[in-house]
Amino acid sequence: MKRSVVLGSVVSALIALASAALAGDKAKSEQAFDRLTSLKGEWNGQIDGVNTTLIYTLTANGSALMEQCRPEKRPEMITIFTVDDDHLLATHYCSARNQPQMETPGITDAQKPLEFSLVRVTGLKSPDDFHNTGLAVIQEDNDHLTQEWFYQHKGKVGKNIFHFTRVR
């Protein structure tokens, strides 16, 4: 009886420690998401020489950040950012008519740039079709944002770098 009480206490303590550790990871991912939500508003820049507006809106009761990418005279694209346990997810609804789903590794430092890697792509007709394979979101300060989009097309990989400035 005494042995089972001691064993039960040890197991309870280990569970409490593990829960505290997981809560710490969760808190860092939430902090990173909160920093990402500071992008709310309107941003201007260029994508491939085309004037582009980004509009960030918090939606779904504060659980998702929606980025609307509006290049002049080109189709709009949407990216949705959410928290999933200790990492962040980004689903990009691309004008190429596919939806790359990307995630960060577990967040250990909420202040570092966010680097998303491809998990899967829906809507892809062929592996040779253009699709994004990663995204880095670099918040330089409150008014300057850089995005690095990684892609694959016909077996070749590449990266596009875009700079945006806050309008409001």
Side-chain angles (χ1 to χ4, degrees), residues 1-158:
M1 174 88 168
K2 189 174 183 181
R3 182 180 274 172
S4 62
V5 169
V6 169
L7 183 60
S9 296
V10 169
V11 168
S12 295
L14 289 173
I15 290 171
L17 286 172
S19 295
L22 289 175
D25 289 343
K26 178 76 169 171
K28 287 180 182 163
S29 61
E30 289 174 351
Q31 289 171 12
F33 182 75
D34 288 346
R35 188 169 62 90
L36 196 61
T37 64
S38 72
L39 296 174
K40 289 184 295 189
E42 189 172 319
W43 299 74
N44 283 341
Q46 289 195 340
I47 294 181
D48 298 329
V50 174
N51 290 333
T52 301
T53 300
L54 298 180
I55 299 172
Y56 288 93
T57 309
L58 200 55
T59 188
N61 195 26
S63 67
L65 180 68
M66 179 174 65
E67 175 197 274
Q68 297 173 358
C69 178
R70 297 178 173 174
E72 276 185 356
K73 300 177 184 176
R74 290 192 184 168
E76 179 176 338
M77 295 175 278
I78 302 243
T79 304
I80 303 288
F81 299 93
T82 57
V83 176
D84 184 32
D85 196 21
D86 68 342
H87 57 275
L88 300 184
L89 300 175
T91 302
H92 178 67
Y93 298 86
C94 189
S95 60
R97 298 184 177 212
N98 57 52
Q99 304 81 39
Q101 298 166 355
M102 301 166 281
E103 70 180 3
T104 66
I107 304 290
T108 57
D109 183 347
Q111 299 307 311
K112 284 188 173 180
L114 296 170
E115 296 182 6
F116 296 85
S117 298
L118 187 65
V119 175
R120 71 185 195 130
V121 182
T122 57
L124 194 63
K125 292 183 172 82
S126 160
D128 281 343
D129 288 348
F130 177 91
H131 60 283
N132 289 298
T133 58
L135 167 63
V137 178
I138 304 158
Q139 294 172 257
E140 298 156 31
D141 57 40
N142 288 335
D143 295 321
H144 298 93
L145 168 69
T146 297
Q147 292 183 343
E148 297 178 354
W149 285 91
F150 300 85
Y151 64 87
Q152 184 173 332
H153 185 223
K154 295 185 179 178
K156 295 182 180 179
V157 297

